Structure formats: C-alpha cells, structure tokens
Amino acid sequence: MLQPLTYIGRQASRSDGQARRKAILEATLKVIVAEGIRGVRHRAVATMAGVPLASTTYYFADIKELIHDALTYYAEKAMAANLALEQQSFAALGGFDATSLREPAVRRQLCDVLTGFICGHIKGQVADRDERILELAFNEEALRNPALADAIVRLDDAILSPVSGFFCQLGATESQAQAFALEVIALIRFLEFRNSVRSWMNEPECEAAVRSQLTRMLAQVAAMA
C-alpha cells in the first residue's frame, strides 16, 4: 500500500476546500508545464485554477510551499500509476519462471512479451509531453529541496522494487536482479527522453535497443537456473 507523501501547505478539512486545493495544485502543474518552475506565481496559478487569489495564499503561504506541494501531488499520482502498471505487468507475465527459461523458445517468447510491453509504455510516455516536462522539473527542483528529494527517492524505489522483484521471480540473485532493474529503467528513461525531445517515436530503434538488452539479461538468468 502506498504511504502518503508529506505536504507542507495548509490542509483542507471540508470536501469543497479539498477540491479547491486540488484544483490549485493541478493549476500549478499546468503553469510549470507552460512556463517552468520560475513561472509559478500566486496570481498566475489562481487565474489558471479559476479561483480567487486569496485561495492560493490561504493554502500556501509562499511560492515554495506551493511548488513543493504541487510536485508532491505529482509524485503521488506517478506512484499510483506505477503501481497500476506493476499489477498489469505481473499479471501478464505470471506464467514464466526460472525453470521454463532454460528453453530458448521460452526466453524468446518472454523477450517478445517484455519488449512489446516496454515499448508500448515508452510510446505512451512520449505521447504525454506534459508529464515528461513535469518529471524533469521535479528532478531539478529536488536538487534544491531536501523534502522533495525524499519524495523522489521514494518514487524511484517504487519503480525499482517491482522490476527487481520480477527478475528475482525468474531466478536471478537479489544483487543481479537489482542490477538488471537499474539497467532496464535507465534504458527506458533514455529512450523516453530521446524520443520526447524529437517529438516522435522511433519504434524500430526503441524495439531493437530493448530487445537486445532483455535478450542478454534473460540468457544470464537462464544460465543460473
């Protein structure tokens, strides 16, 4: 179960206040996408959210609080999305195990499934440019803000743990599984950024890169079984 991250702005007790506070946080993210972190101002956010200026200053005493809580809100949504992705992937790959991986045909089948799954995920990420901008803004701001740094570590752990667990399930040692997980995540992030920057998805390049790495990893896992 996901543990809530820490917000520092004023909280709302009533449902209407919670809805307004959420609207302010979502509007802040829209401003970040449009103008960057430095474009976040109370008036700009209030205008984007369609709320009185007094609402933003009531919930957030200064801009740092507003930016912190908006990016924390983004991190919570990202963690929830990753959990859903994890559940889908394990459900789809539940039929493979360390013993079956000894067969080359099974490894190829698993590689095909994983390649399609990962490339489909990357394609979806590339299509959502706003999320990629927020992701980069979040990482940059975390270098300045220790509280956000904690949130990003927890977000990274939420991504790393299930991928590592998957390789453990296939028979890899814990250290090897973690190394594989780091490689896979690094490749995914590289391909996401590379394709996002050029505004289109080079699917053959993506598939070749993912398939090459997975083929090598699965062969190593099979050799251990």
Side-chain angles (χ1 to χ4, degrees), residues 29 32-33 71 74 130-139:
L29 295 180
I32 292 173
V33 169
L71 292 177
Y74 161 79
D130 287 0
E131 285 294 309
R132 305 289 67 74
I133 292 171
L134 287 172
E135 185 177 49
L136 291 172
F138 182 31
N139 279 272

Side-chain angles (χ1 to χ4, degrees), residues 5-72:
L5 299 175
T6 303
Y7 289 95
I8 60 176
R10 186 192 296 268
Q11 299 299 303
S13 56
R14 294 170 47 181
S15 59
D16 57 342
Q18 292 168 0
R20 177 165 288 190
R21 191 180 191 281
K22 179 180 177 181
I24 292 169
L25 294 178
E26 290 181 340
T28 304
L29 295 180
K30 290 178 181 178
V31 171
I32 292 173
V33 169
E35 303 180 34
I37 292 282
R38 301 304 160 230
V40 177
R41 298 289 183 269
H42 281 294
R43 188 173 299 280
V45 170
T47 299
M48 181 71 75
V51 301
L53 178 61
S55 293
T56 64
T57 55
Y58 173 78
Y59 290 111
F60 307 100
D62 57 39
I63 294 298
K64 287 184 179 179
E65 282 190 3
L66 181 54
I67 292 171
H68 176 281
D69 280 13
L71 292 177
T72 299

